[in-house]
Amino acid sequence: SIKNVLVMILGRRSGKSVLSSFIANYDVYSLLTLSNPQKYYGMIEKYPIHILHVAAKGDQAADMFTLSKNLAKKIPFFQPYINFDKDNTQILGFFTPYDLYLNNEIRKRNSLLSRGSMKENLLPSSIAIESVTTSGATNRGKAIYTLILSELAHFPRAKMNGGQYTENPETDHAIVTGLVPSLKDFHGDGKLVIDTSPAEKGGEAYNYYMMGGGQEVDKPDDPNQVTDVIEPDPTIQVFQFSTWEVSPVVRSREELETEFKRDSVGSDSEWGAHFANPSALFVSEKLVALVPQAN
């Protein structure tokens, strides 16, 4: 199993992308300090290592990548390692210290060649921060050091048919089962980060939230039914905050009163960071609570 899982359940506009960009840059730093991370993890020399961010929508992927790239370019430590030739709208490359050493050796050999001789090409960078949509995240062969799944609770949901999943490659289940196993290449150092506002109770985001011991996990009606209680997995860290608890802009629940009056159930989820019961999508929880209970 993956030993480092962070589940961030946060209200809308609460800085999820900023936090994820910090994590992405810190993990690039961690890899660079190993000098030759491929050797450290027993991989093929210069095998590409990815800090991969996946979002359902293109603007979410673009925003996250822009934040990560701009942050990296502002940090003096990164300046010798950034591959400015591999800097576009969705990927930023980094040379490891070992990459730079190999390219310096190539330059030395090239300098000794006579005029007109064919020179060796420099080698590419071997670490990258990459941000893609679910439609571009189907490559299972990547070595992923950190996988960041933004708004996972709002990815398309897989459907069950005859006891089996029927889905397209962009569903939450397909993305998780396709990409999370790549984290195991790093012997416990690989990280899964889920940053999302909640939706209804179901799907992969809620599954990780439940395994991590989230506070809103449904408890059995009978306290003696201990077999229905899932023991929290200590490798999964969960934190959950409403927008006004963490946002530097929205500082109180009252500032969102118009939103809550317009759609109380949706706002309680999007801004309040509370999971909704699936039935609440069709019947409000207030009406459900008014149904008489049999004794």
Side-chain angles (χ1 to χ4, degrees), residues 93-111:
F94 296 83
F95 294 101
T96 68
Y98 184 65
D99 292 338
L100 296 177
Y101 165 77
L102 291 177
N103 279 337
N104 283 334
E105 292 299 302
I106 291 173
R107 291 188 184 94
K108 289 178 184 178
R109 292 194 294 272
N110 285 341
S111 69

Side-chain angles (χ1 to χ4, degrees), residues 22 25 66-79 82 84 92 94:
F22 288 163
N25 276 272
T66 299
L67 287 167
S68 297
K69 179 170 70 171
N70 290 345
L71 179 61
K73 290 182 176 180
K74 291 178 182 178
I75 298 174
F77 173 85
F78 287 139
Q79 296 310 304
I82 295 176
F84 289 98
L92 178 63
F94 296 83

Side-chain angles (χ1 to χ4, degrees), residues 15 18 23 31 36 48 73 93 180 209 224-225 229 236 257 279 288:
V18 173
I23 292 170
L31 289 167
N36 186 351
K73 290 182 176 180
V180 169
Y209 173 83
N224 295 320
Q225 293 177 339
V229 179
I236 301 176
E257 192 61 35
S279 59
V288 173

Side-chain angles (χ1 to χ4, degrees), residues 37-49 143 185-186:
Q38 288 84 354
K39 181 179 179 180
Y40 181 86
Y41 288 111
M43 304 169 71
I44 296 173
E45 185 172 283
K46 286 190 61 61
Y47 194 88
I49 297 174
D185 292 344
F186 298 95

Side-chain angles (χ1 to χ4, degrees), residues 72-211:
K73 290 182 176 180
K74 291 178 182 178
I75 298 174
F77 173 85
F78 287 139
Q79 296 310 304
Y81 305 109
I82 295 176
N83 181 0
F84 289 98
D85 291 331
K86 199 169 188 178
D87 174 6
N88 54 45
T89 57
Q90 68 177 51
I91 188 167
L92 178 63
F94 296 83
F95 294 101
T96 68
Y98 184 65
D99 292 338
L100 296 177
Y101 165 77
L102 291 177
N103 279 337
N104 283 334
E105 292 299 302
I106 291 173
R107 291 188 184 94
K108 289 178 184 178
R109 292 194 294 272
N110 285 341
S111 69
L112 299 175
L113 296 174
S114 59
R115 184 184 298 272
S117 298
M118 184 174 292
K119 296 184 177 181
E120 293 182 61
N121 292 323
L122 296 178
L123 299 171
S125 53
S126 63
I127 296 177
I129 292 178
E130 184 176 6
S131 190
V132 298
T133 61
T134 51
S135 61
T138 56
N139 186 346
R140 297 186 177 210
K142 292 179 178 178
I144 303 172
Y145 184 76
T146 303
L147 177 61
I148 301 171
L149 302 178
S150 284
E151 300 298 350
L152 180 61
H154 303 278
F155 280 21
R157 189 72 55 77
K159 295 179 173 60
M160 290 291 289
N161 185 9
Q164 293 184 337
Y165 282 109
T166 57
E167 57 186 339
N168 64 57
E170 299 179 35
T171 64
D172 61 347
H173 181 260
I175 293 296
V176 167
T177 57
L179 298 180
V180 169
S182 297
L183 298 170
K184 296 180 181 180
D185 292 344
F186 298 95
H187 313 300
D189 290 344
K191 300 178 183 67
L192 172 61
V193 178
I194 296 169
D195 67 57
T196 186
S197 57
E200 70 275 9
K201 293 181 178 181
E204 294 295 334
Y206 183 70
N207 185 42
Y208 277 102
Y209 173 83
M210 181 172 59
M211 291 190 295

